[in-house]
Amino acid sequence: MPREPRDDAPRGAPEARSELLRGQLRRWTDRVADAGKGAELFELEMWLRSFERFFRVGAQPLSDREARALGLRNWSEELRLVDNVLMRVVRLLGSILSEERVDLTRFDRYVESSLAVEEGLDPYIEKLVRHTTPETALTLLRESFEDIHLLLLDLVKLSRLPHPTFQAVGKILYREVRRSDLVALLIDKKFKPVHDRIGNRPVSRIIRAMPDAGERRQAAKVFLELFRLLHYLEYADPSRLPEEELRDTILLFALVVSETRLLLSYVEKRVLKGRDTAQPLYQVYDSFVYCIPLELKKVVNTELTDVSVTRQAESVRTRVENSHGILKDCFQQSVVQLAQALDSGIDGGRIFPDFMARREQSVKLRDGLVAAVRSLRDFQQGRDEAAAARMKDGISEFYDHHIKYLMYRDWSGFELFYIEILKCSSLTGLQQITHRFETFLLTLLREVQKRSLLQGAPARDDIQDLVGP
C-alpha cells in the first residue's frame, strides 16, 4: 500500500509566524515611539481603522429615509472626504518613515523606473512586495494611496456617484491596507503599550484593588476601550481643527460609533452574563447597554446627518461641536460611573481634571438661564419702565457671563432675541418679545438639565417649578 503523504510543515507554523510578526511589530512600534513619533503612529492607525468602518452603512450618519434609499444618494461628497483623509495618511506615513527614508525611496523609484523593462511589474513595486519589514509595508501603502488619490480626484468630478461605486472604493482600500500582514496586525492588535496604558492613577489603583481576576480583567478592558474612544475624540475636537478639516471628522465619528457598539456587545454578551443583577457593578454595566446607544443615535441620526453635503461652515462646526460634546460627556461619565461603582469615594474631578469644571459651568449656565427667565416674568408682571430696565439688565448679565457655556448652535438664537429686546422701546412690543423669548429659554433650560454632568447636581427647590422634576 502506498504510504500516505507526510506533512513536513512544522506543527504550529501559523502560530509561530503570527508570534514572529507580533514581535517584529512590537519592536518597530517601540522604535517609532522612541523617535518621538508615537502620536503620528496612533493617528495613522486611527485613520486606517476608520476607512474600514466608514464604508459600512450602519456607521453612516443617515436618516431612516436616506438609509432606505441608498441607491438614490450621490456619494461623491463622501468620497471627497475619503480622499482628504487619504492625503492626511500619506503625510503621516511620510512623517513616520522620516524624511531620509522618504528621500531614499524616491531615489530607489527613480533608479528602478529608469531600468524598467517594457512588460511586467514595476521593478520598484516588485521589490517592495518582496520585502516584509514594517518600513517597506508602509512605503508600499503610501504608494498605493497616492495612486488611489489620483483616481479619486477625477472620480469625484462626476455629476453622480452611486452606492456600488462608493462600496468598490471601500473594498479597494480594504485590500490595499490588508495586503501586508504587518499593517493588518497594526490595525487588528488594538491595545499597544506605547499608547494604551491606563495612565490615570486613580483608575489604575481601583483596577489593581479588585480581588476577582476575571472581573478585574473585564473592568480593565472596558476602561481601556473608553479611554481609547476619548483619545479618538481628541482628533475630532473642533477647537483644534481648521474649517476645511471639520467635515473629515465624519470618518472618525464612524469609527467611534462602530467601536462603541462593539464595546457594548462585549459588555452585554460577556460582562453581564451570569453576573448578580443586584450588584451595583451590574447596574452600571447594564446602564451602559441601555443609555449609550441613545447618545449614539443623537449623533448618527440627528447631529451628523447630511454634514458631508452641508456647505455652511457655521452649521458644520456646530454639528461637529455638538457630536463631540455629546460623546465626550458620555464616555467620561461612563468612566466615572464605573470607577465609582468600584470605589464610592472616588470623585470625577480626580479622573478628569476638566470634569468638575464642566459640571460647574453647567450649573452656572442652568442658574443663569433660571435668572434670565425670572427677569422676563418679573417684567411681564410689572409692565412698567423700571421693570423693563431690570429685565434688560438681567438679559445683559446672562449675555456677558453665561452665553459662552451654551452650545454654539444656540448662540445665534439668543442673540437675535437679545438685540430685538435692546432695540424695542415699546412696552407692548416688549411684552410680545419676552413671551416668545421665555419659551426659547425654557427649552434651553430643559435641555441643559438633561446633561449627564448635572445628574449629581439637582436643581434647588426654588427653581423646580421651572426645570421640572
Side-chain angles (χ1 to χ4, degrees), residues 245-256:
E245 294 181 15
L246 285 173
R247 292 198 304 158
D248 299 345
T249 58
I250 296 179
L251 279 81
L252 181 51
F253 283 116
L255 172 62
V256 170

Side-chain angles (χ1 to χ4, degrees), residues 33-88:
D34 291 341
K37 301 291 185 178
E40 287 87 346
L41 179 63
F42 180 88
E43 187 178 356
L44 170 66
E45 177 200 335
M46 177 187 74
W47 289 122
L48 293 180
R49 291 170 67 86
S50 73
F51 284 141
E52 295 191 355
R53 309 306 173 84
F54 182 65
F55 290 91
R56 301 177 185 178
V57 173
Q60 283 286 327
L62 302 172
S63 64
D64 293 338
R65 179 180 56 82
E66 289 175 319
R68 291 192 299 267
L70 294 178
L72 302 177
R73 183 182 177 88
N74 181 8
W75 295 86
S76 60
E77 289 302 324
E78 281 75 11
L79 286 185
R80 200 183 304 276
L81 301 183
V82 169
D83 186 43
N84 293 342
V85 177
L86 269 179
M87 297 313 296
R88 172 61 183 165

